Amino acid sequence: MTTRYAEVHKNPQGPGDARPTAQQIILDEGLEGQLANRSILITGASAGVGVETAKALFTTSATLYLTARSLEKARQALGPELASSPRVHLLELDLESLASVRACAAQLLSLTPTLDVFIANAGVMATPEGRTKDGFETQLGTNFLSHFLLFLLLRPALLAAAAAPGRPNSRVVFLSSIAHRYSEFDFENPNLDGAYDKWKAYGQSKTALLWAANEVDRRYASQGVRAFSVQPGGIQTGLLQHMSEEEKAGLTSDPTLGPQFKSPPQGAATSVWAAISSSLEGKGGVYLEDVQIAKEHDASEGQWAPGYFPHAYSPAKEKQLWEVSLKMVGIEE
């Protein structure tokens, strides 16, 4: 039932309220200790939602492949039980470098021929204008293009897991955001040269992730790989580091938005639900929010009401983005 958590999200009361945590999702699904034969990749497992996603999924007994730019930071954040577990593999990954993405993918594939779940969690937000090592606008390159390349390189392992007898679909989870509403993808000027705006850049990267999830599902559902985009909700994490104190205070003091903020364990709930819920088996190509399949945003309910903007489902643009992105990351299909 994909509406199980709808009611509890109708009247949010701020971080730590009755909305479910990631661990609650595991308990509700009855999956503690039940996924010993599964493998899960989570990027950005050194802070915030990534750490909480890893901690919850660790309790399923799955093997975890966790990436971070700083493995020492990841070890500290994950704690000794996870960091020293034989079924937790820490992989170095700098999303500002496609070479690092390729090295990380090669390392993972040397450890396992199959991958059941891919969670593209890592990201940056509202950064000053900059470029990745490959010359891409920082947020586009970090949030989207590196995850797109990582998916392409790990696609054989996801397909192999799905093809194994008796296995459920493999799942790909791309973390999008309510910020997809800020901007579509700028095909004419993806690096926003001469027109940089930190929120447009962030919104573009999150629309790209949403579109990529839809396109992955369209291309690979028939082979058992299903994809979802996730809006985790507002969470006070290191993601806000590039915002001024004024900007942060404006978010949390907003009478409509403030109560919607979640704790990091609550912020990880929709990602975990996307990754393992039996209610989503056989589904894909949908935008998830508040541990349910999102509906289209209703402007009459206000700026911060849930839901996706109409451009979230754009098959022609999703296909175009795929083709453009292949060229950007240097992959020929």
Side-chain angles (χ1 to χ4, degrees):
M1 189 170 82
T2 58
T3 55
R4 177 175 188 168
Y5 303 100
E7 196 61 36
V8 76
H9 282 93
K10 284 182 179 171
N11 186 27
Q13 301 293 314
D17 64 2
R19 290 170 296 174
T21 62
Q23 190 58 45
Q24 187 63 50
I25 303 301
I26 302 294
L27 294 172
D28 289 350
E29 293 282 336
L31 289 178
E32 277 198 313
Q34 298 303 302
L35 301 181
N37 64 337
R38 306 277 181 84
S39 54
I40 300 171
L41 167 74
I42 306 165
T43 69
S46 62
V49 170
V51 169
E52 298 301 331
T53 301
K55 285 180 176 178
L57 289 170
F58 180 75
T59 67
T60 67
S61 296
T63 297
L64 304 184
Y65 298 91
L66 307 178
T67 83
R69 191 162 47 180
S70 166
L71 298 189
E72 187 48 45
K73 185 182 175 188
R75 286 187 193 97
Q76 293 292 328
L78 292 164
E81 184 187 3
L82 263 76
S84 64
S85 170
R87 57 184 177 83
V88 173
H89 303 271
L90 298 180
L91 309 175
E92 189 175 326
L93 174 60
D94 177 2
L95 290 167
E96 288 204 39
S97 162
L98 295 184
S100 178
V101 173
R102 292 177 185 278
C104 179
Q107 186 181 0
L108 191 148
L109 293 172
S110 75
L111 295 169
T112 177
T114 59
L115 184 65
D116 295 277
V117 178
F118 176 115
I119 303 176
N121 164 83
V124 294
M125 182 174 78
T127 58
E129 184 169 12
R131 293 290 181 268
T132 67
K133 293 179 176 68
D134 303 282
F136 303 119
E137 185 279 313
T138 299
Q139 297 184 75
L140 180 65
T142 303
N143 297 347
F144 171 60
L145 287 169
S146 283
H147 280 129
F148 177 71
L149 176 59
L150 189 59
F151 163 75
L152 293 172
L153 297 173
L154 298 180
R155 184 173 42 182
L158 289 157
L159 290 166
R167 291 294 265 276
N169 293 328
S170 297
R171 295 192 188 180
V172 175
V173 181
F174 285 140
L175 264 70
S176 183
S177 167
I178 191 173
H180 79 272
R181 300 177 186 179
Y182 301 166
S183 175
E184 293 193 36
F185 187 86
D186 190 335
F187 288 104
E188 299 302 314
N189 184 14
N191 285 322
L192 305 181
D193 289 315
Y196 185 75
D197 173 275
K198 66 183 181 181
W199 290 112
K200 181 180 180 184
Y202 184 61
Q204 168 177 257
S205 75
K206 292 301 178 174
T207 289
L209 285 156
L210 202 171
W211 284 357
N214 295 343
E215 188 66 14
V216 168
D217 196 75
R218 185 177 294 114
R219 287 169 181 258
Y220 299 104
S222 65
Q223 297 172 68
V225 175
R226 305 309 303 258
F228 303 90
S229 54
V230 161
Q231 135 69 342
I235 307 127
Q236 295 274 17
T237 69
L239 194 64
L240 307 184
Q241 65 181 306
H242 296 293
M243 293 176 67
S244 68
E245 291 306 315
E246 259 185 310
E247 285 176 307
K248 286 188 230 179
L251 292 177
T252 51
S253 64
D254 184 287
T256 308
L257 182 60
Q260 292 185 38
F261 268 78
K262 300 175 179 180
S263 67
Q266 289 174 315
T270 306
S271 296
V272 167
W273 186 68
I276 52 84
S277 178
S278 59
S279 67
L280 292 170
E281 189 63 21
K283 296 181 172 65
V286 285
Y287 173 77
L288 309 179
E289 179 176 38
D290 289 340
V291 203
Q292 57 200 295
I293 297 172
K295 300 179 174 66
E296 186 167 346
H297 176 254
D298 181 346
S300 71
E301 295 178 356
Q303 177 186 4
W304 300 115
Y308 56 83
F309 269 18
H311 71 252
Y313 295 98
S314 309
K317 290 178 181 176
E318 290 157 10
K319 182 174 187 288
Q320 185 181 359
L321 175 68
W322 187 276
E323 291 165 354
V324 165
S325 302
L326 286 172
K327 292 190 179 77
M328 292 175 88
V329 301
I331 295 275
E332 286 188 25
E333 286 197 322

